[in-house]
């Protein structure tokens, strides 16, 4: 079907639309390879040329996606028989392409360019401010970014909450009020649990995790775990980077990354398991729908649920270590030879208030997110000035954790997100934890002997359940509906709190 001639039937328009959208996705996946290469193997002096390559591809993809002809094809499909069945592949694609097309075309070009310009400059200023622990360096940039994000939210349109407009980028269908309804009770339940743990008599011996764990053997152990969970290394890789991520390049090509520290058992191991969870999702997406919403991950909060489920609910569980601890002892006989399973299990489940989000444990992690969620809303609404962020941060942090950051590098300057314009991104991390616990509880009901399976090193039933209920679904449903359909209940804090209480109360002798 000639793309230049007017398509004559809705079905022909749909096919022309999909061809264009897949072309955009192909360009984006080329950028994905270049990005992965930049983080792994590119020589340092290639950076400037690589930036040019990535900018050219991003510009080309944006131009193709916002082409008015794409909008015409979409309009020629909407309301026709092609999309009559709401959960059909075509209807899902049309619905999600409409959402993405409208968002991509609603922002004036000057605003897009100004955000790109300011955030690229702000990144360096943030790096400098964090290194010197001096918020004054970053303050004018945060002011500019908040003002630009306010404009962006107003361009998208919203019913009173600018935060809603920005959330839509990361978690389609989520609203501020809905998040508050889940995060509020979560906060109220987490704070007393943390207080109880802080006062508990038992304490893990974390020093065993700082013994010598040779890096080559850490990599081996991580590969063994990922393969046991079902990660296909014929369709994926594991490489080394400074900041771990997973890159789903396309069907048959999913790339995990991690970093190693000889004196830290957990850093690499749990990051490999985490990224493997993302990778299993990417490997489970329907390949024949690649490049269209029907074949894409539903949201960041659902993607993160897959990484957290494997990292925390499987990878930090006692049944898993019943199987895997003897393997770890075999790989690290010097470090683990005198350690019991119980001692090891407690050490990888250490809970304590700490300043840095990325180092936080299962209990405190979500409090770090709730703090950011509250501050971001106040910034966007204009209630909180950028200049007042450090004070507001420290006051709320102390109230939640009982400790006060010594400086802003330990406080409001620790994360990269705001410098890149990523406001409203943080909630997806906590949603990942909440979704993971609720999905895992449902999986446990469907597979009653899950613990016995893990203890035998069998993870295939769990993966098959995730494939069927989550991975193969692409974007058929919005995240809140998916959770309702798969678990039979709306998302709530209860499954996560039930998991945390059942795990940590006995561990800490409470
Ligand atoms: Co993740």
């Amino acid at each position: 079907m000639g793309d230049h001639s007017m398509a004559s039937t809705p079905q022909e328009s749909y096919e022309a639309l999909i061809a264009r959208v897949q072309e955009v996705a192909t360009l984006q996946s080329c950028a994905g390879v270049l990005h992965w290469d930049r983080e792994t193997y590119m020589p340092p002096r290639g950076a400037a040329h690589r930036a040019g390559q990535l900018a050219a591809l991003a510009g080309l993809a944006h131009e193709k996606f916002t082409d008015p002809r794409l909008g015409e094809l979409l309009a020629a499909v909407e309301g026709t028989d092609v999309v009559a069945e709401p959960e059909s592949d075509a209807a899902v694609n049309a619905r999600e392409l409409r959402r993405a097309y409208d968002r991509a075309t609603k922002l004036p070009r000057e605003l897009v360019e100004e955000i790109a310009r300011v955030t690229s400059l702000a990144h360096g200023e943030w790096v400098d401010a964090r290194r010197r622990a001096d918020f004054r360096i970053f303050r004018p940039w945060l002011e500019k970014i908040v003002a630009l994000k306010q404009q962006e939210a107003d361009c998208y349109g919203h019913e009173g909450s600018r935060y809603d407009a920005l959330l839509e980028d990361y978690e389609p269908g989520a609203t501020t009020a809905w998040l508050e309804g889940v995060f509020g009770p979560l906060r109220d339940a987490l704070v007393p649990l943390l207080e109880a743990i802080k006062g508990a008599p038992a304490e893990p011996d974390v020093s065993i995790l700082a013994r010598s764990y040779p890096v080559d053997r850490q990599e081996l152990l991580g590969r063994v775990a990922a393969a046991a969970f079902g990660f296909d290394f014929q369709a994926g890789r594991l490489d080394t980077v400074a900041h771990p991520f997973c890159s789903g390049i396309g069907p048959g090509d999913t790339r995990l990354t991690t970093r190693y520290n000889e004196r830290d058992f957990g850093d690499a191991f749990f990051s490999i398991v985490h990224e493997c969870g993302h990778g299993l999702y990417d490997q489970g997406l329907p390949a024949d729908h690649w490049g269209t919403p029907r074949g894409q991950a539903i949201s960041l909060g659902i993607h993160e649920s897959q990484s957290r489920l494997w990292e925390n609910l499987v990878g930090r569980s006692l049944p898993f270590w019943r199987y895997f601890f003897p393997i770890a002892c075999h790989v690290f006989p010097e470090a683990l030879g005198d350690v019991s399973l119980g001692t090891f299990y407690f050490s990888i489940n250490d809970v304590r208030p700490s300043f840095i989000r990325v180092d936080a444990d299962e209990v405190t992690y979500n409090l770090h997110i709730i703090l950011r969620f509250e501050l971001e809303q106040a910034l966007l609404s204009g209630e909180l000035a950028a200049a007042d962020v450090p004070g507001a941060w420290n006051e709320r942090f102390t109230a939640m954790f009982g400790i006060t950051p010594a400086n802003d590098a330990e406080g409001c300057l620790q994360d990269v997100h705001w410098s890149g314009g990523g406001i409203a991104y943080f909630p997806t991390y906590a949603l990942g934890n909440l979704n993971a616990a609720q999905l895992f509880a449902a999986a446990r009901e469907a597979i009653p002997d899950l613990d016995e399976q893990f203890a035998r090193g069998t993870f295939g039933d769990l993966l098959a359940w995730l494939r069927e209920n989550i991975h193969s679904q692409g974007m058929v449903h919005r995240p809140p509906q998916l959770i309702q359909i798969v678990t039979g209940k709306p998302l709530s804090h209860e499954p996560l709190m039930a998991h945390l209480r059942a795990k940590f109360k006995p561990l800490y002798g409470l």
Side-chain angles (χ1 to χ4, degrees):
M1 193 58 44
D3 206 354
H4 299 287
S5 64
M6 284 297 286
S8 49
T9 70
Q11 182 60 33
E12 285 164 351
S13 295
Y14 178 71
E15 282 159 22
L17 173 68
I18 292 303
R20 281 178 176 249
V21 166
Q22 285 179 320
E23 197 185 349
V24 173
T26 300
L27 288 170
Q28 287 167 336
S29 81
C30 293
V33 179
L34 292 178
H35 173 264
W36 169 86
D37 176 72
R38 185 183 73 190
E39 302 297 312
T40 49
Y41 295 110
M42 187 190 76
R45 286 168 66 185
H49 181 64
R50 181 57 45 86
Q53 292 176 311
L54 286 167
L57 281 173
L60 207 53
H62 182 76
E63 196 180 300
K64 282 187 178 290
F65 190 68
T66 54
D67 186 333
R69 180 70 187 128
L70 193 145
E72 288 164 22
L73 289 168
L74 183 53
V77 170
E78 289 170 325
T80 69
D81 286 353
V82 175
V83 294
E85 178 54 50
E87 288 182 9
S88 67
D89 300 339
V92 168
N93 284 334
R95 183 193 77 210
E96 291 303 321
L97 289 171
R98 167 57 65 196
R99 193 181 75 82
Y101 182 77
D102 283 353
R103 284 181 77 79
T105 53
K106 263 183 184 169
L107 298 186
R109 191 186 170 135
E110 310 82 69
L111 181 60
V112 174
E113 287 174 357
E114 184 63 1
I115 290 173
R117 191 186 70 79
V118 168
T119 54
S120 73
L121 294 169
H123 179 76
E125 300 293 324
W126 166 76
V127 170
D128 194 32
R130 186 171 76 156
R131 193 179 56 232
R132 299 197 208 180
D134 186 351
F135 181 75
R136 286 170 303 177
I137 298 168
F138 185 55
R139 191 185 85 183
W141 297 95
L142 184 59
E143 279 166 358
K144 287 190 184 85
I145 288 166
V146 169
L148 289 167
K149 297 303 279 191
Q150 288 171 335
Q151 282 182 53
E152 184 183 329
D154 293 344
C155 286
Y156 290 142
H158 50 81
E159 283 154 26
S161 168
R162 283 177 172 142
Y163 205 78
D164 285 355
L166 298 186
L167 265 177
E168 192 68 13
D169 264 342
Y170 310 116
E171 204 62 21
T175 64
T176 313
W178 176 74
L179 281 177
E180 274 168 351
V182 182
F183 286 179
L186 177 63
R187 178 195 161 133
D188 294 344
L190 281 173
V191 170
L193 177 62
L194 179 59
E195 282 307 310
I197 290 172
K198 277 160 70 180
E203 203 179 345
D205 175 8
V206 293
S207 73
I208 57 174
L209 300 176
R211 292 176 174 177
S212 173
Y213 295 92
V215 164
D216 58 337
R217 285 188 268 155
Q218 286 194 39
E219 181 181 341
L220 174 72
L221 194 70
R223 284 179 184 274
V224 169
F229 294 153
F231 186 79
D232 179 1
F233 277 98
Q234 294 302 309
R237 294 183 54 89
L238 171 66
D239 295 273
T240 308
V241 292
H243 302 286
F245 61 91
C246 168
S247 193
I249 306 290
D253 192 349
T254 298
R255 314 226 176 160
L256 312 179
T257 64
T258 191
R259 62 176 170 216
Y260 300 97
N261 173 353
E262 191 188 328
R263 291 280 171 181
D264 187 338
F265 173 86
D267 194 29
F269 186 80
F270 292 108
S271 96
I272 291 171
V273 174
H274 179 99
E275 301 309 336
C276 172
H278 284 302
L280 288 170
Y281 188 1
D282 288 338
Q283 289 188 336
L285 289 167
D288 43 347
H289 291 291
W290 185 80
T292 72
R294 180 63 186 80
Q296 266 166 30
I298 175 168
S299 71
L300 292 182
I302 298 294
H303 224 309
E304 192 70 3
S305 79
Q306 301 305 286
S307 57
R308 295 295 187 172
L309 186 147
W310 289 99
E311 178 192 355
N312 289 335
L313 293 141
V314 181
R316 291 185 202 271
S317 74
L318 189 56
F320 166 68
W321 286 102
R322 284 192 202 287
Y323 158 65
F324 211 66
F325 189 62
I327 296 172
C329 290
H330 186 73
V331 174
F332 299 112
E334 301 87 351
L336 295 175
D338 63 343
V339 179
S340 72
L341 171 62
T343 302
F344 178 81
Y345 174 65
F346 199 4
S347 74
I348 58 165
N349 286 295
D350 177 42
V351 173
R352 67 185 70 218
S354 63
F355 296 115
I356 303 299
R357 172 185 63 85
V358 296
D359 298 333
D361 55 75
E362 276 186 88
V363 174
T364 57
Y365 188 91
N366 295 303
L367 292 173
H368 289 267
I369 299 303
I370 291 167
L371 169 85
R372 288 156 177 76
F373 171 61
E374 291 173 359
L375 290 179
E376 285 183 333
Q377 286 177 71
L379 274 171
L380 270 189
S381 71
E383 268 168 64
L384 177 68
D388 298 329
V389 165
W393 181 290
N394 291 350
E395 187 184 313
R396 282 163 196 251
F397 194 92
T398 308
M400 274 192 209
F401 292 87
I403 52 175
T404 307
N407 58 59
D408 293 331
E410 284 186 351
C412 66
L413 287 174
Q414 66 182 271
D415 292 307
V416 67
H417 302 62
W418 292 344
S419 73
I423 294 177
Y425 187 113
F426 286 118
T428 66
Y429 294 128
L431 285 172
N433 290 321
L434 291 156
N435 289 329
Q438 191 154 334
L439 290 170
F440 194 72
R444 196 182 272 292
E445 268 178 45
I447 314 163
D449 66 336
L450 213 48
D451 286 349
E452 291 77 11
Q453 293 193 12
F454 290 175
R456 291 197 305 270
T458 300
F459 306 95
D461 284 4
L462 175 62
L463 182 58
W465 188 89
L466 294 170
R467 288 266 190 266
E468 183 190 336
N469 288 291
I470 315 287
H471 308 173
S472 65
Q473 299 295 312
M475 294 187 88
V476 171
H477 307 289
R478 290 276 160 83
Q481 286 79 40
L482 180 79
I483 294 296
Q484 172 77 51
I485 291 166
V486 176
T487 71
K489 298 179 207 91
L491 183 68
S492 97
H493 68 293
E494 278 162 15
L496 178 62
M497 287 310 305
H499 157 71
L500 295 175
R501 290 192 189 106
K503 177 173 182 177
F504 290 100
K505 284 193 161 185
L507 206 47
Y508 277 87
L510 298 169

